[in-house]
Amino acid sequence: MDIILASASPRRQQLLTQMGLTYRIHAVDIDEHMDRHLSPGELVETISREKAAACAALEGPEPLIIAADTVVAKDHRVLGKPRDQQDAREMLRLLSGSDHEVYTGYTLRQGEQVRTGRQMTAVTFRPLTEGEIDAYIATGEPMDKAGAYGIQGYGAMLVAGIRGDYFNVMGLPVCALGLHLKELGINCLG
């Protein structure tokens, strides 16, 4: 089956490869608007559907398209990717020493068949000093990640604990996605 990942995210690529899938990449550029009327879960589902639809418009009905979107939410405030280092610093200060949620919405689309879902993982940050925040920003890692951190890199040292799917925090809920793929006849476990 022709599978397309509608994302340029190296982390999502890594996770699909880890699942044993053979796929190609067709990243699409859509306006990832932050509609304040939507909950974080509704927002990521909506954006993932829009990414899948944009990819399908270019690729046609035959391929199975996988699209996803991830945001961090703290006290009902949605945190996407930081605009600059100051924005990253403000996000990390907000998350320091507290709990937040990571939401990933995902869509599988083949022709008119569309399946969308979402996962939420609760994450606890340890208290961070200003020096630690500055040092982490200096690594460059926060700049292309929702909430200004990556759990799979240096950001792992900021995380005191999680409740839920670790891979969801990386950008793709592997367990839930695997179950949806199985429903479509793609059994990643053989």
Side-chain angles (χ1 to χ4, degrees), residues 123-143:
V123 179
T124 302
F125 262 30
R126 67 176 177 81
L128 307 174
T129 67
E130 287 297 314
E132 289 171 326
I133 290 172
D134 289 341
Y136 182 54
I137 290 170
T139 69
E141 188 176 273
M143 302 316 297

Side-chain angles (χ1 to χ4, degrees), residues 4-43:
I4 297 174
L5 174 62
S7 173
S9 165
R11 292 157 301 279
R12 290 189 182 117
Q13 293 170 33
Q14 173 190 352
L15 293 173
L16 285 187
T17 299
Q18 182 177 314
M19 292 174 72
L21 296 173
T22 301
Y23 60 93
R24 57 190 174 96
I25 298 163
H26 188 155
V28 291
D29 188 23
I30 67 160
D31 176 24
E32 295 187 24
H33 55 280
M34 295 290 180
D35 186 337
R36 300 294 179 205
H37 296 99
L38 299 176
S39 70
E42 293 167 332
L43 177 66

Side-chain angles (χ1 to χ4, degrees), residues 149-163:
Y149 76 96
I151 196 169
Q152 72 285 353
Y154 294 110
M157 293 181 280
L158 313 178
V159 176
I162 69 167
R163 290 175 305 286

Side-chain angles (χ1 to χ4, degrees), residues 2-13 16 21-30 32 44 47-60 63-70 81 104-110 171-172 177:
D2 186 17
I3 300 174
I4 297 174
L5 174 62
S7 173
S9 165
R11 292 157 301 279
R12 290 189 182 117
Q13 293 170 33
L16 285 187
L21 296 173
T22 301
Y23 60 93
R24 57 190 174 96
I25 298 163
H26 188 155
V28 291
D29 188 23
I30 67 160
E32 295 187 24
V44 293
I47 292 174
S48 75
R49 275 194 306 271
E50 290 174 3
K51 287 179 181 180
C55 188
L58 299 169
E59 290 285 349
L64 172 62
I65 296 166
I66 300 172
D69 189 64
T70 302
K81 296 175 185 174
T104 299
Y106 57 93
T107 297
L108 290 88
R109 179 178 181 139
Q110 188 171 33
L172 203 59
L177 181 64

